């Protein structure tokens, strides 16, 4: 089946996407541990889309290009000196990305921004290169479309304006042709209108879900709130008819048009967003075009971007599968290339000798399998060490030891001043849960000691220092370990509500009645922000049937293969539990093991 799909994609690629190229760099991921929890922005969006398009054969590896960072002279053609100087200050970056001050490393963030701008500029130059083609060249940059940055103002996730910077550089190269900018992000292109005001050969068309007042120089249609696919596509067809002929186009194929998006206010489906991209691609059949993701703050934002890639590469209409987990797919491909000899103990001579003498090696192994060196290699291959490097840590050291209940693994990293910090610690054991052997996680902590708590980033009940934003990577890693060791799943006891909440997509409580009570708690606290909800549970302000509710740290499990569940017991526990919020804070009885 997959071979058939790959073959079909090759054929469609040849028919429709011969000149299609994708610009991408792993450093497109914004180096801010808290941005996802604070804003819903999935920093792995570009990674997920790139991995998906490659894995599905929609884009061959040779068509993925890595950009060079744009120069400050390129930025200075558009932006004021004050704006560019401000980018060196953590306060500016914290404001632009709505994160805490202690979570920003301006230089590393500017690496991401300059690479994305470089991608947009190089894509534009590459599109304009002449060649014997009937279909105009199209290129997709997996990060960019920072349309809220004006000449001297920035904000809303936009530090500088990559599209305006690219157009200014092309003009400087001598390109004088007309440029159209189709801004199909859910928000108005205020920064673009400001930056491009002086260029008489630029036309901007836009469809938005919010009215920010008149934008001079923009053909703007504001749709009513929650407008769906039909209304959107009608307005789009009309806009495409008004669009003038041009020598180059930029398309901001915003991911925040989806109904689920918390900021966009429109009501499109994934299929509607794909249809949008196909209609725009058809209208630009003979116009070279640069495509950009712009905004997107729902868990499906990466699917919009992957869909844009599919529309351009293969004209495909089929959905990005609902159950497709790009991180799990990626990790399983990396795991397949890691050999047991690389992960296990190096056959040192003294160890071979000990083995011959029938003695155990004195060197501790994690779960009787992984060596210190093997774990370090795995963390590097999975990309975790480079993620941590961008947060300000490295070089790294792994330590293994035996704990009373299991094996302890620790990852230490040095900061720029040479001080060593504990970053990741886990205690693991092979144990039976519900009659099957599983990887049991007694303890896991992900620590970012260079960041700090604040009013915007309050301490969660189990936290000593802020987290690393890598919980998804760690649970995916544990699932790979369980598979390699022949275990049926991964189990742990969530010490607080927010931990169970974060895992609720993949993990279930082993006891169906406990699962039902948890679902009732999620239902009844649904209107509260997660941080407030978890604090309310921890402080005893949440009541179950009028009595203070004490968090129950029961076992949750992620089975590797589908397991039947007593759905009736889950539903009956869920429907009979009623959680309310009490007025007075009372400390619940302490206890519960970690
Ligand atoms: Zn937007």
């Amino acid at each position: 089946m997959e071979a058939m799909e790959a073959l079909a994609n090759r054929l469609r690629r040849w028919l429709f996407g011969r000149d299609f190229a994708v610009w991408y760099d792993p450093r497109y991921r914004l180096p801010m541990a808290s941005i996802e929890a604070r804003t819903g922005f999935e920093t792995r969006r570009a990674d997920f889309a790139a991995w998906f398009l490659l894995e599905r054969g929609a884009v061959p590896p040779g068509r993925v290009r890595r950009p060079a960072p744009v120069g400050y002279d390129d930025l200075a053609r558009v932006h004021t000196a004050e704006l560019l100087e401000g980018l060196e200050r953590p306060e500016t970056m914290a404001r632009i990305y709505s994160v805490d001050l202690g979570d920003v490393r301006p230089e590393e963030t500017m690496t991401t921004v300059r690479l994305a701008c470089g991608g947009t500029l190089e894509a534009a130059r590459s599109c304009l290169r002449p060649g014997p083609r009937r279909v105009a060249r199209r290129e997709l940059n997996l990060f960019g479309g920072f349309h809220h940055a004006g000449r001297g103002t920035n904000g809303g996730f936009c530090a500088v304006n990559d599209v305006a910077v690219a157009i200014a550089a092309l003009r400087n190269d001598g390109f004088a042709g007309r440029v159209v900018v189709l801004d199909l992000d859910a928000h108005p292109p205020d920064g673009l209108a400001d930056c491009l005001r002086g260029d008489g050969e630029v036309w901007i068309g836009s469809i938005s879900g919010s009215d920010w007042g008149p934008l001079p120089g923009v053909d703007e249609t504001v749709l009513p709130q929650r407008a769906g696919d039909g209304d959107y596509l009608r307005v789009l067809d009309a806009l495409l008819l008004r669009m003038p002929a041009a020598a180059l186009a930029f398309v901001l194929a915003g991911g925040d048009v989806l109904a689920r998006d918390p900021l966009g206010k429109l009501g499109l489906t994934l299929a509607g967003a794909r249809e949008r991209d196909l209609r725009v691609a058809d209208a630009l059949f003979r116009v070279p075009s640069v495509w950009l993701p712009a905004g997107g703050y729902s868990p499906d934002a990466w699917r919009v971007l992957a869909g844009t890639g599919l529309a351009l590469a293969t004209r495909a209409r089929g959905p990005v599968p609902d159950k497709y987990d790009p991180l799990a797919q990626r990790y399983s491909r990396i795991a397949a290339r890691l050999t047991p000899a690389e992960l296990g103990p190096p056959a040192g001579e003294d160890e071979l000798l000990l083995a011959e003498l029938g003695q155990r090696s004195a060197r501790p192994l994690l779960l009787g399998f992984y060596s210190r060196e093997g774990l370090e290699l795995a963390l590097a291959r999975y990309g975790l060490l480079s993620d941590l490097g961008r947060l300000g840590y490295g070089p790294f050291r792994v330590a293994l030891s035996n704990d009373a209940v299991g094996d302890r693994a620790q990852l230490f990293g040095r900061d720029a001043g040479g001080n060593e910090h504990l970053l990741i610690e886990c205690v693991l054991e092979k144990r039976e849960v519900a009659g099957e052997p599983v990887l049991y996680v007694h303890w896991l902590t992900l620590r970012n000691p260079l960041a700090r708590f604040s009013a915007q980033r309050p301490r969660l009940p189990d936290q000593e220092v802020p987290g690393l934003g890598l919980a998804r990577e760690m649970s995916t890693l544990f699932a790979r370990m369980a598979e390699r060791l022949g275990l049926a799943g991964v189990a742990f006891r969530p010490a607080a509500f927010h931990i169970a909440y974060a895992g609720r997509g993949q993990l279930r409580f082993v006891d169906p009645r406990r699962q039902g009570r948890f679902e009732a708690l999620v239902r009844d606290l649904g209107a509260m922000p997660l941080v407030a909800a978890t604090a309310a549970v921890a402080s005893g302000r949440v009541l179950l049937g009028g009595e203070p509710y004490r968090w129950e740290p029961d076992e949750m499990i992620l089975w590797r293969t589908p397991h039947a569940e007593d759905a009736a017991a889950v539903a009956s526990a869920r429907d009979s539990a009623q959680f309310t919020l009490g007025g007075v804070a009372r400390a619940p009885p302490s206890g519960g093991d970690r």
Side-chain angles (χ1 to χ4, degrees):
M1 196 57 206
E2 281 190 7
M4 281 296 288
E5 189 182 323
L7 190 68
N9 272 339
R10 272 177 68 182
L11 180 65
R12 299 177 71 87
R13 222 166 64 201
W14 179 80
L15 281 169
F16 305 111
R18 255 177 294 177
D19 287 324
F20 179 57
V22 168
W23 293 82
Y24 164 70
D25 189 293
R27 288 169 295 173
Y28 277 7
R29 180 171 181 171
L30 279 164
M32 296 170 190
S34 70
I35 189 169
E36 188 186 352
R38 295 261 299 120
T39 68
F41 182 76
E42 169 57 88
T43 55
R44 310 165 184 90
R45 179 176 64 170
D47 302 321
F48 287 0
W51 298 341
F52 176 83
L53 292 170
L54 283 166
E55 197 241 345
R56 290 296 156 119
V59 178
R63 290 254 165 214
V64 179
R65 314 231 157 102
R66 276 180 94 140
V70 83
Y72 276 94
D73 51 335
D74 288 316
L75 297 175
R77 276 193 207 100
V78 170
H79 295 292
T80 62
E82 292 74 33
L83 180 138
L84 296 178
E85 276 163 31
L87 298 174
E88 293 164 17
R89 288 193 292 273
E91 294 81 3
T92 313
M93 288 301 190
R95 174 181 56 77
I96 293 170
Y97 294 101
S98 301
V99 294
D100 186 75
L101 200 58
D103 225 12
V104 179
R105 308 184 64 236
E107 227 174 282
E108 201 60 48
T109 306
M110 274 313 285
T111 298
T112 295
V113 169
R114 290 175 59 211
L115 281 166
C117 285
T120 303
L121 172 55
E122 289 184 65
R125 283 197 174 124
S126 162
C127 270
L128 286 173
R129 219 163 282 145
R133 293 180 303 274
R134 285 182 301 126
V135 181
R137 194 173 268 165
R138 296 176 297 210
E139 312 218 349
L140 170 64
N141 184 18
L142 293 179
F143 197 33
F146 308 136
H147 60 163
H148 297 314
R151 296 166 199 230
T153 53
N154 50 19
F157 297 87
C158 303
V160 295
N161 197 311
D162 58 320
V163 174
V165 166
I167 293 173
L170 296 175
R171 297 299 189 218
N172 190 57
D173 295 346
F175 171 72
R178 177 179 281 146
V179 178
V180 299
V181 181
L182 275 173
D183 189 314
L184 304 176
D185 181 275
H187 300 99
D190 52 345
L192 275 171
D194 179 49
C195 292
L196 298 172
R197 202 174 346 125
D199 191 328
E201 288 301 310
V202 172
W203 177 89
I204 306 174
S206 166
I207 302 173
S208 301
S210 303
D211 191 349
W212 291 359
L215 278 180
V218 178
D219 181 331
E220 162 98 316
T221 309
V222 178
L223 282 169
Q225 289 212 0
R226 301 291 154 214
D229 295 346
D231 289 337
Y232 189 96
L233 293 170
R234 255 191 306 282
V235 164
L236 176 66
D237 287 342
L239 181 70
L240 292 174
L241 284 176
R242 296 196 296 277
M243 177 175 72
L248 176 67
F250 290 86
V251 183
L252 279 69
D256 52 6
V257 294
L258 294 184
R260 281 182 72 192
D261 193 276
L263 302 179
K265 297 193 177 147
L266 290 170
L268 270 69
T269 64
L270 280 165
R274 182 79 61 86
E275 182 62 28
R276 169 195 73 179
D277 295 343
L278 288 166
R279 291 192 191 185
V280 173
D282 283 350
L284 294 172
F285 193 63
R286 297 196 187 282
V287 184
S289 54
V290 177
W291 293 65
L292 303 160
Y297 311 93
S298 75
D300 277 336
W302 80 268
R303 288 190 161 81
V304 177
L305 179 54
T308 301
L310 288 177
L312 295 171
T314 63
R315 275 197 65 83
R317 278 196 158 76
V320 177
D322 209 27
K323 294 268 178 224
Y324 188 92
D325 180 341
L327 198 63
Q329 294 285 334
R330 165 90 175 165
Y331 275 24
S332 94
R333 283 194 300 281
I334 293 170
R337 293 196 302 268
L338 280 165
T339 63
E342 287 175 308
L343 296 169
E349 294 207 346
D350 46 344
E351 261 150 279
L352 285 176
L353 186 65
L354 284 170
E356 270 174 39
L357 297 171
Q359 287 178 22
R360 272 192 62 193
S361 160
R363 284 157 45 89
L365 296 176
L366 182 69
L367 301 166
F369 182 82
Y370 296 94
S371 69
R372 207 162 51 77
E373 296 82 358
L375 281 175
E376 211 169 309
L377 176 73
L379 290 171
R381 291 268 183 90
Y382 286 117
L384 281 155
L385 297 188
S386 55
D387 288 339
L388 292 169
R390 301 198 67 216
L391 297 178
Y393 302 102
F396 302 96
R397 174 172 73 88
V398 172
L400 296 180
S401 57
N402 295 317
D403 184 85
V405 292
D407 298 338
R408 180 185 306 273
Q410 295 167 304
L411 178 73
F412 296 91
R414 291 191 183 279
D415 64 23
N419 307 303
E420 195 173 64
H421 302 276
L422 174 64
L423 305 176
I424 300 177
E425 181 178 58
C426 60
V427 176
L428 307 177
E429 188 197 7
K430 286 191 233 176
R431 184 201 263 198
E432 281 212 351
V433 170
E436 296 189 62
V438 301
L439 174 63
Y440 199 89
V441 183
H442 283 280
W443 167 258
L444 170 66
T445 182
L446 304 171
R447 306 169 79 250
N448 187 7
L450 295 181
R452 56 181 186 254
F453 294 113
S454 71
Q456 287 92 38
R457 195 178 186 191
R459 183 191 301 269
L460 293 167
D462 64 320
Q463 287 184 320
E464 197 189 345
V465 297
L468 289 167
L470 296 173
R472 188 162 173 183
E473 279 77 3
M474 286 309 292
S475 58
T476 307
L477 204 62
F478 287 144
R480 304 269 42 102
M481 289 174 108
E483 180 172 5
R484 193 177 288 273
L485 299 173
L487 302 170
V490 181
F492 83 120
R493 291 175 186 270
F497 172 65
H498 72 276
I499 300 173
Y501 187 87
R504 74 192 185 292
Q506 298 169 298
L507 292 132
R508 314 277 294 175
F509 282 96
V510 175
D511 174 2
R513 291 177 304 278
R514 177 69 185 93
Q515 176 67 25
R517 271 197 305 288
F518 173 66
E519 289 178 12
L521 188 61
V522 171
R523 174 196 67 207
D524 295 340
L525 300 184
M528 287 175 89
L530 182 58
V531 170
T534 198
V537 175
S539 69
R541 279 199 300 127
V542 172
L543 310 178
L544 173 57
E547 288 297 309
Y549 174 68
R550 184 184 139 195
W551 176 252
E552 308 159 84
D554 293 317
E555 277 160 0
M556 286 185 99
I557 196 153
L558 162 69
W559 294 115
R560 284 184 38 232
T561 54
H563 274 58
E565 185 183 60
D566 187 347
V570 173
S572 112
R574 181 181 59 227
D575 297 344
S576 61
Q578 195 71 48
F579 291 92
T580 52
L581 211 54
V584 190
R586 257 187 290 172
S590 62
D593 75 16
R594 285 298 314 266

